Each structure stands twice: as C-alpha cells, then as structure tokens.
Amino acid sequence: MPETYWTVRWPDGLEEKLYSPSSVVAEVFEPGLSYPVPDFLQRARIAMERASNRVERKYGFACSSAMDQLDRIEAKVATFTEQTEAEVACLQISQ
C-alpha cells in the first residue's frame, strides 16, 4: 500500500497536493482529466473509503488520515456548490 499523493487544481485556480494511504486514487482518477465537482467528490469518497478499508484489512484499524483528507476535500468542495459548471482537474498522481 504505497502512500500516494495527488495534485488537483480547484475551480478557483488553486492547486493542492492531497494524500492517500493507498494507490487506490489511481484507480478512480486520471492525471490530465477534469471532473465536474459532484463527480470529483463522489470519486474522492470512493477512493478514500477504499484506501481506509485497505489499511483496515492490513493493520486492523481504519485510516484516520484518509478520512481526514476526505473531510478537507468535502469542505473545499462545499465552497463551489453554487458554481454548476465548476470542475476539478487531476494534475498528477505520484508515489
């Protein structure tokens, strides 16, 4: 379960490096693609839940870091709810 970092560009133009305890993000996001905000959020939820579950299967406890990252993503996404055409770009995924 290699730690994985993924860089996104939010609709406001800011770039952010996000964390996952697992490479599962590469299964749901592709660098170079942009996702409508609701789709991005759904994919992020799937990725972080899968990552946390992988940690739990291996170590016997869920990954609080994955859930903390999801909380931060949800808070950021909430700032764009009025922007119906907003997209989040996946710029890079690295281990």
Side-chain angles (χ1 to χ4, degrees):
M1 263 183 308
E3 289 185 327
T4 302
Y5 295 90
W6 39 305
T7 304
V8 300
R9 182 181 314 110
W10 297 106
D12 60 8
L14 295 177
E15 293 182 11
E16 184 175 359
K17 190 176 198 178
L18 307 175
Y19 168 80
S20 172
S22 166
S23 60
V24 70
V25 294
E27 296 172 12
V28 295
F29 291 104
E30 184 176 333
L33 293 184
S34 294
Y35 302 88
V37 170
D39 183 38
F40 176 83
L41 180 56
Q42 179 181 7
R43 289 170 181 267
R45 286 178 175 149
I46 290 167
M48 295 297 96
E49 288 171 6
R50 285 183 187 170
S52 182
N53 290 341
R54 286 182 180 182
V55 169
E56 185 171 17
R57 281 192 303 274
K58 185 168 184 176
Y59 298 106
F61 53 86
C63 181
S64 61
S65 294
M67 296 296 86
D68 289 345
Q69 180 64 80
L70 180 56
D71 288 345
R72 289 189 299 277
I73 290 169
E74 288 175 336
K76 183 71 173 184
V77 163
T79 67
F80 303 115
T81 56
E82 299 299 318
Q83 300 176 29
T84 58
E85 301 298 317
E87 293 188 335
V88 181
C90 179
L91 302 178
Q92 180 181 22
I93 298 174
S94 60
Q95 296 176 353

